[in-house]
């Protein structure tokens, strides 16, 4: 099977990690996988790829002045698709999806495109890209979203689409087994992980923890990640006088190892496509608290059955959930973590998700 897989880049984000996981799995089973980064600035690969995955940058094939670059990119991708003659084409992210559908129009290729955030909350898309999504998505063999909750949202922005599938992210390659017990030595750690941007609401998480810090002096908050809001959050922590209790160490090169040092995990996002950090924290056996944001936490937690789900925007409910977590016993936290790990590992294993992707082309 020849698979042409189109992404924006292979930097350090969640979509890139999922792309690497899928490409590696297909290469291991014997498929010919060509992974093409369509970002105009080329960039570098920060993900591990199997030797069988052929990595290319579309920018290497694009020529001409900057003002002609969008058209040149379409033509370069069309030429590449004709050269490779793939049996399947997969594209991630709205802008790449639109480019893929325009570039392959009329070639007879089965193109599956995937939205990587909830379509109703793609607020940063330019009007032209929104119009092109509405125009081109009905041409796709299938449009994939990450949760069932996102399907009606997709139909709001692309009402002509008739072939839709909800395929969640798989557990990534190399994820360690759930830990046997939480760390017993040292201080208690409440963990969070993600990019410091407004939708993650790390500023509000800091305020929530600050309100609880005095009552739980043996707990600290650790937020791993980088981004535009990190500097402002650091200043706020200093203003609160909690620099010894709230730690913002930056981007983690070893997120699973860092999460495994925690005694609980919290996701306080306003919106998600599919929260990889929550999935991985649950799979590692951490007791978790998550906001019921669109989309993903409700499905991951089974509506709050295997992790605590709090109403979106309810700071008091978030504080209460964190209070319950921090005052629970180690045995209770470990039991809650085991329940979470068993649930997500059964539902989001790689082989299960690969079958869903195969079905996106064959059904």
């Amino acid at each position: 099977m020849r698979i042409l897989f189109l992404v924006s880049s292979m930097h350090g984000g969640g979509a890139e990690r999922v792309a690497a996981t899928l490409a590696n799995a297909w290469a291991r089973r014997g498929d010919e996988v060509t992974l093409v980064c369509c970002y105009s600035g080329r960039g570098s690969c920060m993900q591990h790829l199997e030797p069988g995955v052929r990595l290319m940058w579309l920018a290497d094939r694009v020529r001409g002045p900057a003002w002609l670059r969008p058209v040149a990119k379409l033509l370069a991708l069309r030429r590449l698709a004709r050269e490779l003659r793939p049996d399947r084409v997969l594209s991630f992210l709205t802008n790449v999806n639109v480019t893929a559908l325009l570039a392959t129009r009329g070639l007879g290729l089965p193109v599956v495109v995937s939205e990587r955030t909830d379509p109703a909350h793609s607020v940063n898309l330019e009007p032209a890209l929104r119009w092109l999504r509405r125009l081109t998505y009905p041409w796709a063999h299938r449009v994939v979203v990450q949760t069932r909750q996102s399907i009606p949202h997709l139909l709001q922005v692309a009402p002509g689409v008739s072939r839709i599938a909800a395929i969640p992210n798989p557990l990534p390659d190399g994820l360690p087994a759930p830990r046997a017990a939480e760390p017993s030595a040292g201080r208690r750690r409440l963990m969070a992980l993600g990019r410091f941007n407004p939708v993650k609401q790390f500023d509000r998480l800091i305020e929530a923890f600050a309100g609880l810090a005095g009552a739980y002096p043996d707990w600290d908050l650790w937020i791993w990640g980088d981004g535009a809001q990190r500097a402002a959050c650091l200043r706020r922590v200093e203003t609160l006088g909690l620099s010894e209790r709230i730690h913002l160490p930056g981007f983690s090169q070893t997120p699973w190892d860092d999460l495994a040092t925690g005694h609980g995990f919290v996701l306080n996002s306003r919106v998600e496509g599919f929260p990889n950090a929550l999935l991985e924290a649950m799979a590692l056996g951490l007791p978790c608290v998550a906001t019921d944001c669109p989309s993903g936490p409700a499905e991951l937690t089974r509506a709050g059955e295997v992790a605590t789900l709090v109403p979106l925007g309810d700071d008091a409910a978030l504080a209460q959930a964190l209070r319950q977590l921090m005052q629970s016993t180690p045995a209770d936290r470990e039991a809650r973590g085991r329940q979470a790990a068993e649930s997500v590992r059964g539902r989001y294993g790689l082989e299960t998700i690969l079958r869903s992707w195969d079905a996106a082309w064959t059904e």
Side-chain angles (χ1 to χ4, degrees), residues 3-7 18-19 22-23 26 34-36 86 88-93 96-97 100 110-114 116 142 144 167 357 360-361:
I3 299 174
L4 174 59
F5 196 165
L6 307 174
V7 295
V18 173
L22 294 175
W26 284 323
T34 302
L35 183 62
V36 180
R88 296 175 177 179
V89 180
L90 173 60
S91 173
F92 270 17
L93 298 172
V96 184
N97 296 343
V111 181
V112 170
V113 301
S114 179
R116 307 311 296 175
R142 186 163 274 108
V144 172
I167 305 178
W357 279 107
W361 282 282

PDB file of all heavy atoms in Angstrom, residues 3-7 18-19 22-23 26 34-36 86 88-93 96-97 100 110-114 116 142 144 167 357 360-361:
ATOM      1  N   ILE A   3       1.114   5.119   0.646  1.00  0.00           N
ATOM      2  CA  ILE A   3       0.382   6.149   1.391  1.00  0.00           C
ATOM      3  C   ILE A   3       1.130   7.471   1.284  1.00  0.00           C
ATOM      4  O   ILE A   3       2.321   7.553   1.597  1.00  0.00           O
ATOM      5  CB  ILE A   3       0.232   5.754   2.875  1.00  0.00           C
ATOM      6  CG1 ILE A   3      -0.553   4.438   3.004  1.00  0.00           C
ATOM      7  CG2 ILE A   3      -0.472   6.870   3.661  1.00  0.00           C
ATOM      8  CD1 ILE A   3      -0.623   3.904   4.417  1.00  0.00           C
ATOM      9  N   LEU A   4       0.432   8.496   0.832  1.00  0.00           N
ATOM     10  CA  LEU A   4       0.951   9.857   0.819  1.00  0.00           C
ATOM     11  C   LEU A   4       0.315  10.598   1.988  1.00  0.00           C
ATOM     12  O   LEU A   4      -0.899  10.774   2.041  1.00  0.00           O
ATOM     13  CB  LEU A   4       0.619  10.548  -0.505  1.00  0.00           C
ATOM     14  CG  LEU A   4       0.983  12.034  -0.620  1.00  0.00           C
ATOM     15  CD1 LEU A   4       2.474  12.258  -0.415  1.00  0.00           C
ATOM     16  CD2 LEU A   4       0.526  12.591  -1.974  1.00  0.00           C
ATOM     17  N   PHE A   5       1.128  11.027   2.940  1.00  0.00           N
ATOM     18  CA  PHE A   5       0.669  11.625   4.189  1.00  0.00           C
ATOM     19  C   PHE A   5       1.149  13.074   4.214  1.00  0.00           C
ATOM     20  O   PHE A   5       2.347  13.343   4.193  1.00  0.00           O
ATOM     21  CB  PHE A   5       1.250  10.836   5.364  1.00  0.00           C
ATOM     22  CG  PHE A   5       0.591  11.072   6.694  1.00  0.00           C
ATOM     23  CD1 PHE A   5       0.819  10.188   7.740  1.00  0.00           C
ATOM     24  CD2 PHE A   5      -0.241  12.158   6.933  1.00  0.00           C
ATOM     25  CE1 PHE A   5       0.228  10.372   8.983  1.00  0.00           C
ATOM     26  CE2 PHE A   5      -0.840  12.358   8.163  1.00  0.00           C
ATOM     27  CZ  PHE A   5      -0.596  11.465   9.191  1.00  0.00           C
ATOM     28  N   LEU A   6       0.211  14.015   4.258  1.00  0.00           N
ATOM     29  CA  LEU A   6       0.520  15.434   4.177  1.00  0.00           C
ATOM     30  C   LEU A   6       0.273  16.105   5.530  1.00  0.00           C
ATOM     31  O   LEU A   6      -0.808  15.977   6.107  1.00  0.00           O
ATOM     32  CB  LEU A   6      -0.336  16.109   3.104  1.00  0.00           C
ATOM     33  CG  LEU A   6      -0.300  15.462   1.717  1.00  0.00           C
ATOM     34  CD1 LEU A   6      -1.309  16.133   0.796  1.00  0.00           C
ATOM     35  CD2 LEU A   6       1.098  15.532   1.123  1.00  0.00           C
ATOM     36  N   VAL A   7       1.279  16.809   6.014  1.00  0.00           N
ATOM     37  CA  VAL A   7       1.174  17.541   7.274  1.00  0.00           C
ATOM     38  C   VAL A   7       1.744  18.939   7.061  1.00  0.00           C
ATOM     39  O   VAL A   7       2.376  19.219   6.037  1.00  0.00           O
ATOM     40  CB  VAL A   7       1.943  16.829   8.406  1.00  0.00           C
ATOM     41  CG1 VAL A   7       1.313  15.481   8.717  1.00  0.00           C
ATOM     42  CG2 VAL A   7       3.420  16.657   8.046  1.00  0.00           C
ATOM     43  N   VAL A  18       1.030  12.577  16.562  1.00  0.00           N
ATOM     44  CA  VAL A  18       0.089  11.589  16.037  1.00  0.00           C
ATOM     45  C   VAL A  18       0.479  11.187  14.618  1.00  0.00           C
ATOM     46  O   VAL A  18       0.427  10.003  14.259  1.00  0.00           O
ATOM     47  CB  VAL A  18      -1.348  12.147  16.068  1.00  0.00           C
ATOM     48  CG1 VAL A  18      -2.314  11.199  15.368  1.00  0.00           C
ATOM     49  CG2 VAL A  18      -1.793  12.374  17.511  1.00  0.00           C
ATOM     50  N   ALA A  19       0.891  12.160  13.813  1.00  0.00           N
ATOM     51  CA  ALA A  19       1.324  11.841  12.447  1.00  0.00           C
ATOM     52  C   ALA A  19       2.490  10.871  12.466  1.00  0.00           C
ATOM     53  O   ALA A  19       2.531   9.907  11.680  1.00  0.00           O
ATOM     54  CB  ALA A  19       1.704  13.128  11.709  1.00  0.00           C
ATOM     55  N   LEU A  22       1.258   7.297  13.453  1.00  0.00           N
ATOM     56  CA  LEU A  22       0.559   6.603  12.367  1.00  0.00           C
ATOM     57  C   LEU A  22       1.525   6.219  11.247  1.00  0.00           C
ATOM     58  O   LEU A  22       1.492   5.079  10.753  1.00  0.00           O
ATOM     59  CB  LEU A  22      -0.560   7.488  11.821  1.00  0.00           C
ATOM     60  CG  LEU A  22      -1.721   7.785  12.769  1.00  0.00           C
ATOM     61  CD1 LEU A  22      -2.690   8.772  12.115  1.00  0.00           C
ATOM     62  CD2 LEU A  22      -2.458   6.514  13.163  1.00  0.00           C
ATOM     63  N   ALA A  23       2.378   7.154  10.839  1.00  0.00           N
ATOM     64  CA  ALA A  23       3.317   6.864   9.747  1.00  0.00           C
ATOM     65  C   ALA A  23       4.238   5.708  10.122  1.00  0.00           C
ATOM     66  O   ALA A  23       4.496   4.811   9.301  1.00  0.00           O
ATOM     67  CB  ALA A  23       4.135   8.115   9.425  1.00  0.00           C
ATOM     68  N   TRP A  26       2.304   2.344   9.994  1.00  0.00           N
ATOM     69  CA  TRP A  26       2.067   1.863   8.630  1.00  0.00           C
ATOM     70  C   TRP A  26       3.358   1.363   7.995  1.00  0.00           C
ATOM     71  O   TRP A  26       3.354   0.356   7.275  1.00  0.00           O
ATOM     72  CB  TRP A  26       1.431   2.983   7.795  1.00  0.00           C
ATOM     73  CG  TRP A  26      -0.023   3.186   8.105  1.00  0.00           C
ATOM     74  CD1 TRP A  26      -0.946   2.212   8.396  1.00  0.00           C
ATOM     75  CD2 TRP A  26      -0.721   4.432   8.170  1.00  0.00           C
ATOM     76  NE1 TRP A  26      -2.171   2.772   8.630  1.00  0.00           N
ATOM     77  CE2 TRP A  26      -2.073   4.143   8.491  1.00  0.00           C
ATOM     78  CE3 TRP A  26      -0.359   5.759   7.987  1.00  0.00           C
ATOM     79  CZ2 TRP A  26      -3.047   5.127   8.634  1.00  0.00           C
ATOM     80  CZ3 TRP A  26      -1.321   6.743   8.141  1.00  0.00           C
ATOM     81  CH2 TRP A  26      -2.642   6.433   8.447  1.00  0.00           C
ATOM     82  N   THR A  34       5.105   8.007   2.424  1.00  0.00           N
ATOM     83  CA  THR A  34       5.805   9.249   2.131  1.00  0.00           C
ATOM     84  C   THR A  34       5.136  10.348   2.940  1.00  0.00           C
ATOM     85  O   THR A  34       3.945  10.643   2.756  1.00  0.00           O
ATOM     86  CB  THR A  34       5.748   9.606   0.638  1.00  0.00           C
ATOM     87  OG1 THR A  34       6.323   8.535  -0.126  1.00  0.00           O
ATOM     88  CG2 THR A  34       6.512  10.888   0.358  1.00  0.00           C
ATOM     89  N   LEU A  35       5.883  10.936   3.855  1.00  0.00           N
ATOM     90  CA  LEU A  35       5.376  11.986   4.739  1.00  0.00           C
ATOM     91  C   LEU A  35       5.902  13.322   4.227  1.00  0.00           C
ATOM     92  O   LEU A  35       7.120  13.539   4.173  1.00  0.00           O
ATOM     93  CB  LEU A  35       5.845  11.718   6.167  1.00  0.00           C
ATOM     94  CG  LEU A  35       5.366  12.655   7.270  1.00  0.00           C
ATOM     95  CD1 LEU A  35       3.854  12.598   7.410  1.00  0.00           C
ATOM     96  CD2 LEU A  35       6.029  12.283   8.596  1.00  0.00           C
ATOM     97  N   VAL A  36       4.997  14.206   3.852  1.00  0.00           N
ATOM     98  CA  VAL A  36       5.379  15.471   3.224  1.00  0.00           C
ATOM     99  C   VAL A  36       4.985  16.631   4.124  1.00  0.00           C
ATOM    100  O   VAL A  36       3.809  16.793   4.474  1.00  0.00           O
ATOM    101  CB  VAL A  36       4.710  15.635   1.850  1.00  0.00           C
ATOM    102  CG1 VAL A  36       5.120  16.959   1.207  1.00  0.00           C
ATOM    103  CG2 VAL A  36       5.074  14.471   0.940  1.00  0.00           C
ATOM    104  N   PRO A  86      -0.116   7.353  -5.226  1.00  0.00           N
ATOM    105  CA  PRO A  86      -0.454   6.677  -3.970  1.00  0.00           C
ATOM    106  C   PRO A  86      -1.799   5.968  -4.047  1.00  0.00           C
ATOM    107  O   PRO A  86      -2.700   6.372  -4.791  1.00  0.00           O
ATOM    108  CB  PRO A  86      -0.502   7.827  -2.967  1.00  0.00           C
ATOM    109  CG  PRO A  86      -0.871   9.021  -3.791  1.00  0.00           C
ATOM    110  CD  PRO A  86      -0.184   8.822  -5.105  1.00  0.00           C
ATOM    111  N   ARG A  88      -3.494   5.699  -1.220  1.00  0.00           N
ATOM    112  CA  ARG A  88      -4.250   6.460  -0.236  1.00  0.00           C
ATOM    113  C   ARG A  88      -3.539   7.785   0.010  1.00  0.00           C
ATOM    114  O   ARG A  88      -2.314   7.854   0.019  1.00  0.00           O
ATOM    115  CB  ARG A  88      -4.350   5.703   1.097  1.00  0.00           C
ATOM    116  CG  ARG A  88      -5.112   4.393   1.011  1.00  0.00           C
ATOM    117  CD  ARG A  88      -5.064   3.646   2.348  1.00  0.00           C
ATOM    118  NE  ARG A  88      -5.857   2.422   2.299  1.00  0.00           N
ATOM    119  CZ  ARG A  88      -5.978   1.566   3.313  1.00  0.00           C
ATOM    120  NH1 ARG A  88      -5.328   1.805   4.455  1.00  0.00           N
ATOM    121  NH2 ARG A  88      -6.731   0.488   3.192  1.00  0.00           N
ATOM    122  N   VAL A  89      -4.333   8.823   0.235  1.00  0.00           N
ATOM    123  CA  VAL A  89      -3.796  10.130   0.603  1.00  0.00           C
ATOM    124  C   VAL A  89      -4.461  10.538   1.919  1.00  0.00           C
ATOM    125  O   VAL A  89      -5.681  10.449   2.064  1.00  0.00           O
ATOM    126  CB  VAL A  89      -4.065  11.201  -0.476  1.00  0.00           C
ATOM    127  CG1 VAL A  89      -3.491  12.553  -0.038  1.00  0.00           C
ATOM    128  CG2 VAL A  89      -3.498  10.770  -1.819  1.00  0.00           C
ATOM    129  N   LEU A  90      -3.638  10.991   2.867  1.00  0.00           N
ATOM    130  CA  LEU A  90      -4.149  11.482   4.140  1.00  0.00           C
ATOM    131  C   LEU A  90      -3.552  12.855   4.392  1.00  0.00           C
ATOM    132  O   LEU A  90      -2.362  13.078   4.168  1.00  0.00           O
ATOM    133  CB  LEU A  90      -3.760  10.533   5.280  1.00  0.00           C
ATOM    134  CG  LEU A  90      -4.095  10.997   6.705  1.00  0.00           C
ATOM    135  CD1 LEU A  90      -5.589  11.224   6.874  1.00  0.00           C
ATOM    136  CD2 LEU A  90      -3.585   9.998   7.739  1.00  0.00           C
ATOM    137  N   SER A  91      -4.390  13.773   4.865  1.00  0.00           N
ATOM    138  CA  SER A  91      -3.945  15.134   5.149  1.00  0.00           C
ATOM    139  C   SER A  91      -4.416  15.547   6.536  1.00  0.00           C
ATOM    140  O   SER A  91      -5.534  15.236   6.941  1.00  0.00           O
ATOM    141  CB  SER A  91      -4.495  16.096   4.092  1.00  0.00           C
ATOM    142  OG  SER A  91      -4.218  17.438   4.428  1.00  0.00           O
ATOM    143  N   PHE A  92      -3.525  16.255   7.254  1.00  0.00           N
ATOM    144  CA  PHE A  92      -3.820  16.789   8.583  1.00  0.00           C
ATOM    145  C   PHE A  92      -3.840  18.317   8.539  1.00  0.00           C
ATOM    146  O   PHE A  92      -2.961  18.925   7.927  1.00  0.00           O
ATOM    147  CB  PHE A  92      -2.733  16.368   9.572  1.00  0.00           C
ATOM    148  CG  PHE A  92      -2.983  15.054  10.278  1.00  0.00           C
ATOM    149  CD1 PHE A  92      -3.911  14.142   9.821  1.00  0.00           C
ATOM    150  CD2 PHE A  92      -2.267  14.737  11.427  1.00  0.00           C
ATOM    151  CE1 PHE A  92      -4.119  12.933  10.474  1.00  0.00           C
ATOM    152  CE2 PHE A  92      -2.459  13.541  12.081  1.00  0.00           C
ATOM    153  CZ  PHE A  92      -3.384  12.632  11.627  1.00  0.00           C
ATOM    154  N   LEU A  93      -4.781  18.927   9.214  1.00  0.00           N
ATOM    155  CA  LEU A  93      -4.923  20.366   9.443  1.00  0.00           C
ATOM    156  C   LEU A  93      -5.633  21.051   8.276  1.00  0.00           C
ATOM    157  O   LEU A  93      -5.395  20.738   7.110  1.00  0.00           O
ATOM    158  CB  LEU A  93      -3.588  21.046   9.726  1.00  0.00           C
ATOM    159  CG  LEU A  93      -2.832  20.567  10.979  1.00  0.00           C
ATOM    160  CD1 LEU A  93      -1.443  21.191  11.013  1.00  0.00           C
ATOM    161  CD2 LEU A  93      -3.597  20.902  12.238  1.00  0.00           C
ATOM    162  N   VAL A  96      -3.707  22.541   5.169  1.00  0.00           N
ATOM    163  CA  VAL A  96      -3.121  21.479   4.354  1.00  0.00           C
ATOM    164  C   VAL A  96      -4.224  20.678   3.661  1.00  0.00           C
ATOM    165  O   VAL A  96      -4.075  20.267   2.497  1.00  0.00           O
ATOM    166  CB  VAL A  96      -2.232  20.561   5.213  1.00  0.00           C
ATOM    167  CG1 VAL A  96      -1.538  19.508   4.342  1.00  0.00           C
ATOM    168  CG2 VAL A  96      -1.195  21.371   5.970  1.00  0.00           C
ATOM    169  N   ASN A  97      -5.324  20.456   4.360  1.00  0.00           N
ATOM    170  CA  ASN A  97      -6.443  19.716   3.765  1.00  0.00           C
ATOM    171  C   ASN A  97      -6.953  20.401   2.505  1.00  0.00           C
ATOM    172  O   ASN A  97      -7.196  19.756   1.474  1.00  0.00           O
ATOM    173  CB  ASN A  97      -7.586  19.600   4.777  1.00  0.00           C
ATOM    174  CG  ASN A  97      -7.225  18.805   6.007  1.00  0.00           C
ATOM    175  OD1 ASN A  97      -6.244  18.067   6.011  1.00  0.00           O
ATOM    176  ND2 ASN A  97      -8.008  18.952   7.053  1.00  0.00           N
ATOM    177  N   ALA A 100      -4.461  20.014  -0.258  1.00  0.00           N
ATOM    178  CA  ALA A 100      -4.462  18.650  -0.787  1.00  0.00           C
ATOM    179  C   ALA A 100      -5.639  18.410  -1.716  1.00  0.00           C
ATOM    180  O   ALA A 100      -5.488  17.804  -2.791  1.00  0.00           O
ATOM    181  CB  ALA A 100      -4.494  17.647   0.366  1.00  0.00           C
ATOM    182  N   PRO A 110      -8.059   8.651  -3.655  1.00  0.00           N
ATOM    183  CA  PRO A 110      -8.913   8.692  -2.463  1.00  0.00           C
ATOM    184  C   PRO A 110      -8.251   9.514  -1.365  1.00  0.00           C
ATOM    185  O   PRO A 110      -7.310   9.064  -0.701  1.00  0.00           O
ATOM    186  CB  PRO A 110      -9.036   7.213  -2.062  1.00  0.00           C
ATOM    187  CG  PRO A 110      -7.788   6.580  -2.571  1.00  0.00           C
ATOM    188  CD  PRO A 110      -7.383   7.355  -3.796  1.00  0.00           C
ATOM    189  N   VAL A 111      -8.736  10.726  -1.170  1.00  0.00           N
ATOM    190  CA  VAL A 111      -8.126  11.659  -0.228  1.00  0.00           C
ATOM    191  C   VAL A 111      -8.990  11.725   1.034  1.00  0.00           C
ATOM    192  O   VAL A 111     -10.167  12.072   0.983  1.00  0.00           O
ATOM    193  CB  VAL A 111      -7.990  13.066  -0.836  1.00  0.00           C
ATOM    194  CG1 VAL A 111      -7.322  14.021   0.158  1.00  0.00           C
ATOM    195  CG2 VAL A 111      -7.202  13.012  -2.140  1.00  0.00           C
ATOM    196  N   VAL A 112      -8.387  11.395   2.166  1.00  0.00           N
ATOM    197  CA  VAL A 112      -9.024  11.536   3.472  1.00  0.00           C
ATOM    198  C   VAL A 112      -8.372  12.724   4.158  1.00  0.00           C
ATOM    199  O   VAL A 112      -7.139  12.805   4.237  1.00  0.00           O
ATOM    200  CB  VAL A 112      -8.871  10.261   4.327  1.00  0.00           C
ATOM    201  CG1 VAL A 112      -9.326  10.507   5.765  1.00  0.00           C
ATOM    202  CG2 VAL A 112      -9.664   9.121   3.705  1.00  0.00           C
ATOM    203  N   VAL A 113      -9.181  13.662   4.636  1.00  0.00           N
ATOM    204  CA  VAL A 113      -8.659  14.840   5.327  1.00  0.00           C
ATOM    205  C   VAL A 113      -9.118  14.814   6.775  1.00  0.00           C
ATOM    206  O   VAL A 113     -10.196  14.307   7.093  1.00  0.00           O
ATOM    207  CB  VAL A 113      -9.091  16.149   4.640  1.00  0.00           C
ATOM    208  CG1 VAL A 113      -8.600  16.180   3.199  1.00  0.00           C
ATOM    209  CG2 VAL A 113     -10.600  16.338   4.682  1.00  0.00           C
ATOM    210  N   SER A 114      -8.287  15.356   7.651  1.00  0.00           N
ATOM    211  CA  SER A 114      -8.576  15.294   9.077  1.00  0.00           C
ATOM    212  C   SER A 114      -8.455  16.660   9.726  1.00  0.00           C
ATOM    213  O   SER A 114      -7.409  17.310   9.640  1.00  0.00           O
ATOM    214  CB  SER A 114      -7.624  14.314   9.765  1.00  0.00           C
ATOM    215  OG  SER A 114      -7.872  14.260  11.149  1.00  0.00           O
ATOM    216  N   ARG A 116      -7.914  18.742  13.026  1.00  0.00           N
ATOM    217  CA  ARG A 116      -7.165  18.425  14.244  1.00  0.00           C
ATOM    218  C   ARG A 116      -7.558  19.293  15.426  1.00  0.00           C
ATOM    219  O   ARG A 116      -6.909  19.260  16.463  1.00  0.00           O
ATOM    220  CB  ARG A 116      -5.663  18.535  13.978  1.00  0.00           C
ATOM    221  CG  ARG A 116      -5.170  17.729  12.799  1.00  0.00           C
ATOM    222  CD  ARG A 116      -5.651  16.300  12.814  1.00  0.00           C
ATOM    223  NE  ARG A 116      -5.141  15.543  13.959  1.00  0.00           N
ATOM    224  CZ  ARG A 116      -5.497  14.309  14.249  1.00  0.00           C
ATOM    225  NH1 ARG A 116      -6.422  13.697  13.510  1.00  0.00           N
ATOM    226  NH2 ARG A 116      -4.974  13.690  15.289  1.00  0.00           N
ATOM    227  N   ARG A 142     -13.338  10.992   2.580  1.00  0.00           N
ATOM    228  CA  ARG A 142     -13.930  11.060   3.917  1.00  0.00           C
ATOM    229  C   ARG A 142     -13.259  12.199   4.683  1.00  0.00           C
ATOM    230  O   ARG A 142     -12.076  12.481   4.487  1.00  0.00           O
ATOM    231  CB  ARG A 142     -13.780   9.740   4.671  1.00  0.00           C
ATOM    232  CG  ARG A 142     -14.512   9.707   6.011  1.00  0.00           C
ATOM    233  CD  ARG A 142     -14.708   8.291   6.540  1.00  0.00           C
ATOM    234  NE  ARG A 142     -15.929   7.694   5.986  1.00  0.00           N
ATOM    235  CZ  ARG A 142     -15.964   6.733   5.068  1.00  0.00           C
ATOM    236  NH1 ARG A 142     -14.839   6.244   4.594  1.00  0.00           N
ATOM    237  NH2 ARG A 142     -17.098   6.258   4.639  1.00  0.00           N
ATOM    238  N   VAL A 144     -12.368  13.356   8.518  1.00  0.00           N
ATOM    239  CA  VAL A 144     -12.203  12.767   9.847  1.00  0.00           C
ATOM    240  C   VAL A 144     -12.116  13.875  10.891  1.00  0.00           C
ATOM    241  O   VAL A 144     -11.388  14.854  10.718  1.00  0.00           O
ATOM    242  CB  VAL A 144     -10.931  11.894   9.905  1.00  0.00           C
ATOM    243  CG1 VAL A 144     -10.643  11.435  11.329  1.00  0.00           C
ATOM    244  CG2 VAL A 144     -11.082  10.698   8.974  1.00  0.00           C
ATOM    245  N   ILE A 167     -12.394   9.581  14.533  1.00  0.00           N
ATOM    246  CA  ILE A 167     -11.275   8.699  14.870  1.00  0.00           C
ATOM    247  C   ILE A 167     -10.409   9.403  15.910  1.00  0.00           C
ATOM    248  O   ILE A 167      -9.763  10.407  15.598  1.00  0.00           O
ATOM    249  CB  ILE A 167     -10.431   8.341  13.638  1.00  0.00           C
ATOM    250  CG1 ILE A 167     -11.305   7.724  12.541  1.00  0.00           C
ATOM    251  CG2 ILE A 167      -9.305   7.388  14.023  1.00  0.00           C
ATOM    252  CD1 ILE A 167     -10.543   7.377  11.266  1.00  0.00           C
ATOM    253  N   TRP A 357      -8.675   3.880  10.882  1.00  0.00           N
ATOM    254  CA  TRP A 357      -8.130   4.615   9.739  1.00  0.00           C
ATOM    255  C   TRP A 357      -8.250   3.806   8.444  1.00  0.00           C
ATOM    256  O   TRP A 357      -8.601   4.357   7.399  1.00  0.00           O
ATOM    257  CB  TRP A 357      -6.671   4.995   9.989  1.00  0.00           C
ATOM    258  CG  TRP A 357      -6.527   6.217  10.840  1.00  0.00           C
ATOM    259  CD1 TRP A 357      -6.118   6.294  12.141  1.00  0.00           C
ATOM    260  CD2 TRP A 357      -6.832   7.570  10.445  1.00  0.00           C
ATOM    261  NE1 TRP A 357      -6.134   7.595  12.576  1.00  0.00           N
ATOM    262  CE2 TRP A 357      -6.565   8.402  11.557  1.00  0.00           C
ATOM    263  CE3 TRP A 357      -7.287   8.155   9.269  1.00  0.00           C
ATOM    264  CZ2 TRP A 357      -6.745   9.784  11.538  1.00  0.00           C
ATOM    265  CZ3 TRP A 357      -7.471   9.530   9.226  1.00  0.00           C
ATOM    266  CH2 TRP A 357      -7.211  10.326  10.353  1.00  0.00           C
ATOM    267  N   ALA A 360     -11.576   4.224   7.057  1.00  0.00           N
ATOM    268  CA  ALA A 360     -11.868   5.523   6.474  1.00  0.00           C
ATOM    269  C   ALA A 360     -11.728   5.493   4.952  1.00  0.00           C
ATOM    270  O   ALA A 360     -12.380   6.258   4.246  1.00  0.00           O
ATOM    271  CB  ALA A 360     -10.939   6.583   7.064  1.00  0.00           C
ATOM    272  N   TRP A 361     -10.874   4.603   4.434  1.00  0.00           N
ATOM    273  CA  TRP A 361     -10.719   4.474   2.984  1.00  0.00           C
ATOM    274  C   TRP A 361     -11.560   3.340   2.410  1.00  0.00           C
ATOM    275  O   TRP A 361     -12.019   3.434   1.273  1.00  0.00           O
ATOM    276  CB  TRP A 361      -9.258   4.231   2.630  1.00  0.00           C
ATOM    277  CG  TRP A 361      -8.397   5.434   2.661  1.00  0.00           C
ATOM    278  CD1 TRP A 361      -8.306   6.423   1.729  1.00  0.00           C
ATOM    279  CD2 TRP A 361      -7.466   5.795   3.698  1.00  0.00           C
ATOM    280  NE1 TRP A 361      -7.387   7.375   2.115  1.00  0.00           N
ATOM    281  CE2 TRP A 361      -6.861   7.003   3.315  1.00  0.00           C
ATOM    282  CE3 TRP A 361      -7.091   5.200   4.904  1.00  0.00           C
ATOM    283  CZ2 TRP A 361      -5.894   7.640   4.102  1.00  0.00           C
ATOM    284  CZ3 TRP A 361      -6.133   5.830   5.691  1.00  0.00           C
ATOM    285  CH2 TRP A 361      -5.556   7.047   5.283  1.00  0.00           C
TER     286      TRP A 361
END
